[in-house]
C-alpha cells in the first residue's frame, strides 16, 4: 500500500536582512517549501519568487502524486528523472523531489553528492554578494556594509540605473561589480544602458532583456565586450541552444528554475558544448538548495550563491562561508551535506 507519510512538505518563511528590491518589486520575506523523506532519509527544497507565476497548488499536486506512488524510491541517480516524471509539474516542485532523492541515494552510499555524481571536487570559490535596488544612497550604504565581500552583484532595471551604479562604485572603488537587470530593459534600451554603465568597470551583465527575447539578449551582447549572462531565460536545453545561437556568452544556472540536479547538469554540459561560461546561481532559498548547487562548482566558472548571507533565519546548516564570501562544502558529510538546525 502507498504510504503518504514517506514524503511530506511544509512551507517556511525566510526573512531577509534588508528589503530586497528587483525590477519586479520589493519584498522582505520569501516563502519556500521544504520537502522531507521519512526518517530524514533525504531533504529537498522548492524556492521560486512570486513573479515566476508558479502556484503552490500546482507544486503540491506533484508532491501528492509522488507521495502515493507504489514504486520504491530510486537507488540510482539515473532513475530519478523517470521516477519524478520530468515535465509533470512546475520546475521548483520537481527540483525539491530531485534534491531529496539525490540526497537519499548519496547518504545511503556514504558519499558526498559530488562524488556520487562523479563530478570534480568543489574547491573554495568566492560568491558574489547581492545589493538590491534601492535609492542610490541606500545602495551605497549597503555596498559599504558589504565591504568584506570583494564581488558585488548590483540589481538594476530602474529609471535611474546610472546614478545607482555610480553611488555603489563611489562607495566601493575596490569591488568587482556585476550588474543584473532581471529582464528590465528592452534590447535598444539595454544597449544604451550597458554603454552608459561600462565606465564603472564591470565584469558582466545579466539578463538585460525579457526572458523569452533571446534575439534581444544577443543584440545587447553584439554591442558590448562585456559578457552577457542569461538567467530567467535558462530553463531547458532548447533555451541554451537558442541563447548560444543568439551569441549570448554565459548562463546563470539555478536548480529551482530548471528542475533540479539532473536537468541542471544536462544544461551545464550543453552550455559547455557551446563554449558558454556557467555561473551557479540561486533564488532566495535556504542553505539546503545552495549547498546542493555548490556540488556542481567544480564544473562552473562563477558562483552567485549568497542566499544564506541575505537571510536571518536559515533553517539549515550547509555550505560554509568565510568572512569574505569564500564557499566550501562542510567536510565529511554524505549526501547534500545540509543539516536541519
Amino acid at each position: 500500500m502507498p504510504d503518504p507519510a514517506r514524503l511530506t512538505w511544509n512551507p517556511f518563511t525566510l526573512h531577509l536582512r534588508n528589503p530586497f528590491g528587483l525590477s519586479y518589486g520589493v519584498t522582505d520575506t520569501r516563502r519556500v517549501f521544504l520537502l522531507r523523506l521519512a526518517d530524514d532519509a533525504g531533504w529537498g527544497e522548492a524556492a521560486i519568487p512570486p513573479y515566476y507565476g508558479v502556484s503552490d497548488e500546482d507544486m503540491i499536486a506533484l508532491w501528492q502524486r509522488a507521495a502515493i506512488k507504489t514504486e520504491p524510491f530510486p537507488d540510482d541517480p539515473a532513475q530519478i528523472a523517470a521516477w519524478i516524471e520530468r515535465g509533470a509539474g512546475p520546475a521548483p516542485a520537481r527540483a525539491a523531489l530531485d534534491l531529496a532523492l539525490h540526497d537519499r541515494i548519496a547518504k545511503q552510499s556514504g558519499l558526498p553528492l559530488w562524488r556520487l555524481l562523479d563530478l570534480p571536487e568543489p574547491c573554495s570559490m568566492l560568491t558574489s554578494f547581492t545589493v538590491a535596488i534601492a535609492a542610490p544612497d541606500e545602495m551605497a550604504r549597503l555596498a559599504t556594509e558589504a565591504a568584506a565581500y570583494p564581488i558585488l552583484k548590483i540589481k538594476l532595471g530602474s529609471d535611474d540605473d546610472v546614478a545607482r551604479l555610480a553611488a555603489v562604485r563611489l562607495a566601493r572603488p575596490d569591488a568587482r561589480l556585476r550588474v543584473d537587470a532581471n529582464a528590465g530593459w528592452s534590447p535598444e534600451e539595454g544597449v544604451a544602458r550597458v554603454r552608459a554603465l561600462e565606465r564603472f568597470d564591470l565584469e558582466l551583465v545579466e539578463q538585460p532583456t525579457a526572458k523569452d527575447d533571446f534575439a534581444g539578449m544577443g543584440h545587447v551582447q553584439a554591442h558590448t565586450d562585456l559578457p552577457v549572462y542569461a538567467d530567467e531565460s535558462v530553463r531547458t536545453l532548447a533555451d541554451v541552444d537558442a541563447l548560444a545561437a543568439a551569441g549570448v556568452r554565459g548562463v546563470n544556472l539555478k536548480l529551482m528554475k530548471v528542475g533540479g540536479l539532473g536537468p541542471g547538469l544536462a544544461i551545464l554540459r550543453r552550455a559547455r558544448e557551446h563554449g558558454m561560461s556557467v555561473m551557479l546561481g540561486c533564488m532566495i532559498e535556504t542553505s539546503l538548495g545552495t549547498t546542493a548547487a555548490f556540488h556542481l562548482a567544480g564544473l562552473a566558472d562563477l558562483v552567485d550563491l549568497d542566499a544564506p548571507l541575505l537571510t536571518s533565519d536559515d533553517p539549515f546548516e550547509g555550505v560554509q562561508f568565510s568572512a569574505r564570501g569564500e564557499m566550501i562544502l562542510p567536510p565529511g558529510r554524505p549526501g547534500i551535506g545540509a543539516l536541519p538546525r
Side-chain angles (χ1 to χ4, degrees), residues 122-280:
C123 299
S124 172
M125 293 182 74
L126 280 169
T127 182
S128 52
F129 184 88
T130 302
V131 175
I133 291 179
D137 59 345
E138 175 66 5
M139 293 180 72
R141 184 188 69 79
L142 293 171
T144 301
E145 282 189 358
Y149 301 105
I151 309 172
L152 299 180
K153 175 186 273 194
I154 312 302
K155 295 291 189 178
L156 297 178
S158 70
D159 293 333
D160 201 4
D161 288 332
V162 173
R164 284 167 166 78
L165 194 57
V168 169
R169 175 50 85 197
L170 184 62
R172 287 292 309 277
D174 60 305
R176 296 161 55 187
L177 298 184
R178 303 166 182 172
V179 298
D180 181 6
N182 281 113
W185 301 329
S186 70
E188 291 303 330
E189 185 182 22
V191 171
R193 294 289 180 97
V194 171
R195 284 176 174 165
L197 299 172
E198 285 174 335
R199 67 179 184 270
F200 297 110
D201 188 21
L202 307 180
E203 286 194 340
L204 60 87
V205 177
E206 188 174 329
Q207 196 67 43
T209 63
K211 66 181 181 180
D212 295 319
D213 189 2
F214 300 154
M217 205 169 322
H219 178 73
V220 176
Q221 181 66 89
H223 287 83
T224 181
D225 291 331
L226 293 172
V228 171
Y229 278 66
D231 176 3
E232 284 88 343
S233 298
V234 184
R235 296 153 294 184
T236 66
L237 291 172
D239 291 336
V240 177
D241 293 340
L243 289 161
V248 176
R249 288 165 54 184
V251 297
N252 185 346
L253 172 61
K254 296 180 178 176
L255 300 184
M256 300 298 158
K257 188 178 54 181
V258 303
L261 287 154
L265 265 174
I267 284 173
L268 191 159
R269 288 170 171 147
R270 180 66 62 84
R272 288 299 194 202
E273 290 172 7
H274 287 299
M276 304 173 83
S277 297
V278 176
M279 175 194 299
L280 296 179

Side-chain angles (χ1 to χ4, degrees), residues 7-14 29-36 42-50 52 54-63 84 89-101 254-261 282-290 292 307 315-316 336:
L7 190 161
T8 56
W9 54 91
N10 288 288
F12 184 88
T13 299
L14 288 166
T29 62
R30 285 285 176 84
R31 191 171 69 154
V32 302
F33 279 88
L34 302 177
L35 186 145
R36 174 182 174 270
W43 284 89
E45 176 176 5
I48 199 75
Y52 273 76
V54 176
S55 74
D56 291 352
E57 292 77 14
D58 287 344
M59 292 199 293
I60 289 169
L62 176 61
W63 299 330
I84 294 174
R94 287 182 277 120
L97 283 171
D98 173 281
L99 264 60
L101 295 172
K254 296 180 178 176
L255 300 184
M256 300 298 158
K257 188 178 54 181
V258 303
L261 287 154
C282 60
M283 306 299 183
I284 300 297
E285 59 193 55
T286 77
S287 284
L288 176 63
T290 52
F316 283 90
I336 289 174

